[in-house]
Amino acid sequence: MIDLMALNWLAILIATAVAFVLGGLWYGPLFGQAWMDALGKTEDDIEPTPMPFVISFFTAALTCIAVAVLMLAVGISTVLGGALFGLAVGIGFIATAMASDCAFCGWGMRLFLIQAGYRVAYSVLMGAIIGAF
């Protein structure tokens, strides 16, 4: 049984914040236009509201907590080990589940790569940050 009090909550908070900031960069200057093109939308089609940002923050936090719990359970406590663990989680669980969604929802490969790429990248960062602590 994992003791949630044994988790490094500061590392989890920092990793969650880093993932959230990465999302702003990813869907902004890095891939924002490609993402909108893949969605078939323009900036005028997107009405910004706080709810997607709130949901994104909390889902990143839950992912980070899960990564921290799993890393504690298997005894990973280095930056490299955490980054590799995050890569395994990102590709092995998140991207593969998203590939199934992609197939059923009819997303194009470009949209899948942007969406899954973000989650794999943030999983790597989460693992590295948690491993650093």
Side-chain angles (χ1 to χ4, degrees):
M1 182 89 184
I2 297 296
D3 176 13
L4 293 180
M5 296 308 294
L7 298 177
N8 188 319
W9 290 98
L10 177 60
I12 290 169
L13 180 62
I14 291 169
T16 299
V18 167
F20 193 73
V21 169
L22 176 64
L25 294 170
W26 198 272
Y27 292 103
L30 295 176
F31 302 105
Q33 189 59 54
W35 175 67
M36 284 192 292
D37 291 347
L39 286 171
K41 297 187 180 281
T42 66
E43 284 189 43
D44 294 333
D45 296 327
I46 298 174
E47 295 180 33
T49 65
M51 192 52 66
F53 296 98
V54 170
I55 291 170
S56 180
F57 185 84
F58 282 105
T59 57
L62 290 173
T63 301
C64 194
I65 292 166
V67 167
V69 165
L70 292 171
M71 285 176 61
L72 182 63
V74 297
I76 295 172
S77 60
T78 65
V79 173
L80 180 59
L84 292 173
F85 185 81
L87 182 64
V89 166
I91 292 172
F93 294 113
I94 300 171
T96 55
M98 291 181 75
S100 175
D101 293 343
C102 177
F104 282 100
C105 294
W107 296 354
M109 182 58 71
R110 188 176 192 194
L111 181 58
F112 167 73
L113 291 173
I114 293 168
Q115 296 282 102
Y118 165 60
R119 281 154 185 89
V120 169
Y122 87 27
S123 296
V124 170
L125 289 172
M126 286 176 180
I129 291 167
I130 292 165
F133 280 78

